[in-house]
Amino acid sequence: MILMGRGSVARALAAGVVLAASLASCTDAAPPPPTDPAGRELTLEEATAALPEPHDLSDQLVLQPTDEGDPEGSTYPASCADVLFGGEAMKALDRDHQATKAERDYAAERAGYLVIRVKSYDRPVPTAPFDAAGAAVAKCPTFTQTYDDEATKWSMSALGLSSRGDQMFAARMTLAEDAPPMLTGQIVDIVQIRKGHTLISIVYSVGRNSRAIPGLVDRAAEQTLAGLPR
């Protein structure tokens, strides 16, 4: 039986995040390209440049190798996948409209595992996935995630952070008390921010024997947004 460590949980949950939509009225002539990068898709170089360096977030953090493969998992009830931005519409958008993706993984000894992703699309990121995620928090106070045939039960609550970008979703997942002993008490903070064509995803996972770095998630959101081209 395989149990997921802190980094695996963070990456698995980060993998469940996707998005886009909002069409301008049709005209005979194509509009000129916008000069504001928030109004267009980013290049890989621009998306990568937005990712903070470890020392910009905390002197406890070090970079970790980024695993290009994402673990496959399932959510029960299935509708609760909206909390993780993992519904079918999100997957379709990622598949059909994602222009680029950049990621950086960080770890701190006895202070958790952080994943930041910047995804950019050929369409503006819509409000609908954020609205669905907010509604799912109310509908899914608890839900089950299964990876590699290992099921874990989570409780969900809102995460109070200052709003950023065009729209933001923030939630905290706490592993249920009946989880395997090595995982009991784990918390995972999830933040999704849309800005024009860009989606920023932040997942911070902290185990029961670790101590979270104060303000890390909020700092990661602020620094990543600040790193987007202007």
Side-chain angles (χ1 to χ4, degrees):
M1 183 169 65
I2 300 174
L3 300 179
M4 299 183 70
R6 290 195 305 272
S8 299
V9 170
R11 288 196 51 75
L13 295 174
V17 236
V18 245
L19 302 178
S22 168
L23 297 175
S25 57
C26 296
T27 59
D28 291 335
T35 56
D36 179 6
R40 63 162 171 82
E41 62 192 63
L42 302 181
T43 64
L44 177 59
E45 291 75 17
E46 290 171 329
T48 301
L51 297 168
E53 296 294 334
H55 59 78
D56 291 330
L57 301 175
S58 170
D59 57 9
Q60 294 178 253
L61 291 177
V62 295
L63 285 178
Q64 296 292 295
T66 298
D67 185 355
E68 293 300 325
D70 286 324
E72 293 291 332
S74 62
T75 304
Y76 180 83
S79 59
C80 294
D82 285 334
V83 156
L84 305 176
F85 286 70
E88 290 305 316
M90 306 303 98
K91 293 177 182 177
L93 175 70
D94 229 21
R95 182 186 65 242
D96 299 336
H97 298 285
Q98 181 178 304
T100 192
K101 177 183 76 172
E103 176 182 321
R104 192 161 282 170
D105 296 7
Y106 316 75
E109 186 175 357
R110 303 184 70 82
Y113 193 93
L114 175 71
V115 176
I116 303 177
R117 282 181 175 173
V118 174
K119 291 184 179 182
S120 193
Y121 299 86
D122 62 9
R123 308 172 65 186
V125 175
T127 63
F130 286 78
D131 297 339
V137 170
K139 295 186 297 184
C140 302
T142 63
F143 64 93
T144 300
Q145 281 272 291
T146 302
Y147 293 99
D148 294 330
D149 298 323
E150 180 65 34
T152 51
K153 188 175 182 180
W154 298 86
S155 62
M156 177 69 66
S157 60
L159 182 64
L161 293 176
S162 299
S163 183
R164 299 185 185 279
D166 297 333
Q167 190 175 10
M168 188 174 90
F169 169 80
R172 170 166 291 179
M173 296 170 53
T174 304
L175 207 55
E177 293 181 359
D178 59 353
M182 69 177 292
L183 296 178
T184 300
Q186 183 168 9
I187 62 169
V188 181
D189 289 345
I190 301 171
V191 174
Q192 305 290 339
I193 303 169
R194 68 177 183 89
K195 179 68 174 176
H197 286 228
T198 299
L199 172 68
I200 296 171
S201 303
I202 300 167
V203 178
Y204 181 38
S205 174
V206 182
R208 65 171 183 170
N209 294 321
S210 298
R211 185 171 182 175
I213 299 172
L216 179 60
V217 171
D218 197 39
R219 199 153 50 249
E222 179 182 26
Q223 291 285 334
T224 308
L225 273 171
L228 294 177
R230 301 177 184 275

